[in-house]
Amino acid sequence: MTATLLAVALSLVSAVAYAAAAVAQERFAARTAGAGAGLWRLLCTGAWWWTVVLNAGAALLHVAALKYGPLTLVQPLGALTLVAAVPLGARIAGRHVTAVEWRGTALTLAGLAALLVTASGPAPDDTLSLPEALAVAGATAALIGALSRRGAKPGLRHATASGVASGVASALTQTVTVAATDRTGPLLAPQVIVVALLVAAFAAGGLLLSQTAYRGGLGAPLAMVTLANPVAAAVIGLSLLGERLQGGAAGFALAGAGAVLAARGVVLLTRTPARGSEAVGAGGSVVALPAVPAQHEPESLSLRAS
């Protein structure tokens, strides 16, 4: 099996695991929404811990995919989590998948197929140097600060910031994974330690930003998170990690068309009419929100930085 096929296979399994965790969390949150469920109740509930295990397993699979595939390939495949969550959520909720959902699924898959053709490449062997990682972190922090300022439409701006934070965390995760496994230096080299700390910081930041973004609604902010994530990772991959799209000018045109199709499909899938809302960010954010009034905090929210 080639590195590209292995990366795709790992991404597919990761997406299904994230989707199952999101749906399970949504169902659990819906059952406990009126019971005053707090952190302690969650920690004492076995069903909730199973969702944590699913999320952790999916995150490990995503990290493994980043070892074998370029960011421009692995990150967009995160949208498959949303594709998988729709039929799973519909089945558990006892309803049929709607025509809009089928159309969104078809467009997302068609767009990802186009991106798969153009982004296929060898296993990544380049990493961000420590100065590059620090520069990326500084630029990202400045962008997040600008997007998080007070002003109109905080949901969309915070959602964009959350997607960027998660996409950058994935790029940094790939650097940690490749640097720690290439056996050319010590496992706990300064580069690995510092970049790992940056991953943790951006993962936590993405979680807090997504929680703020969804306070005023789900659909548009979710679409923004799902799209901003792979864009941020692709910018780093193409500009700093030597990744390239296949096929020259025709490849760029095909990738652009695929991105447009996938974006349209994601927007349609975020309009899923369900008892609760299973929300998944591409390539990196999985959010499960119960059907609660907008002014209340979600009972269950899970985010992966990948």
Side-chain angles (χ1 to χ4, degrees):
M1 181 180 291
T2 66
T4 296
L5 290 178
L6 184 55
V8 171
L10 289 168
S11 296
L12 289 174
V13 179
S14 174
V16 173
Y18 268 113
V23 173
Q25 280 187 292
E26 186 276 327
R27 300 296 293 176
F28 175 76
R31 290 197 305 269
T32 59
L39 177 60
W40 179 251
R41 181 183 177 89
L42 290 176
L43 294 176
C44 296
T45 304
W48 183 80
W49 279 107
W50 275 113
T51 67
V52 173
V53 171
L54 277 173
N55 271 313
L60 290 175
L61 289 167
H62 184 77
V63 170
L66 288 172
K67 165 65 178 174
Y68 296 104
L71 286 166
T72 49
L73 171 67
V74 174
Q75 285 306 108
L77 290 176
L80 290 173
T81 309
L82 181 57
V83 172
V86 168
L88 284 174
R91 180 176 178 81
I92 292 176
R95 66 175 181 83
H96 295 292
V97 179
T98 68
V100 172
E101 291 168 340
W102 282 123
R103 188 161 64 251
T105 298
L107 288 173
T108 302
L109 291 176
L112 291 177
L115 291 172
L116 180 63
V117 171
T118 58
S120 299
D125 56 6
D126 198 4
T127 61
L128 295 174
S129 66
L130 189 54
E132 287 176 335
L134 292 174
V136 167
T140 303
L143 177 59
I144 290 174
L147 291 170
S148 302
R149 71 186 188 283
R150 294 181 179 273
K153 295 185 178 180
L156 291 180
R157 288 190 290 102
H158 282 78
T160 303
S162 176
V164 170
S166 298
V168 171
S170 285
L172 296 174
T173 297
Q174 186 178 70
T175 284
V176 172
T177 304
V178 174
T181 58
D182 64 0
R183 300 180 181 179
T184 59
L187 179 62
L188 297 180
Q191 177 195 25
V192 174
I193 295 174
V194 172
V195 176
L197 291 174
L198 291 175
V199 169
F202 282 114
L207 173 61
L208 296 175
L209 288 163
S210 67
Q211 188 167 357
T212 301
Y214 291 114
R215 285 177 179 172
L218 180 65
L222 171 61
M224 190 63 71
V225 170
T226 306
L227 298 173
N229 184 309
V231 168
V235 167
I236 295 174
L238 293 172
S239 62
L240 296 176
L241 295 175
E243 297 183 3
R244 295 289 183 269
L245 295 178
Q246 309 297 317
F252 273 97
L254 181 59
V260 171
L261 286 177
R264 176 57 180 166
V266 166
V267 170
L268 290 177
L269 289 174
T270 59
R271 298 173 181 172
T272 300
R275 179 169 160 274
S277 300
E278 307 93 33
V280 185
S285 323
V286 177
V287 180
L289 298 175
V292 295
Q295 66 269 23
H296 296 309
E297 287 295 326
E299 290 289 340
S300 171
L301 184 149
S302 167
L303 171 75
R304 69 176 170 102
S306 42

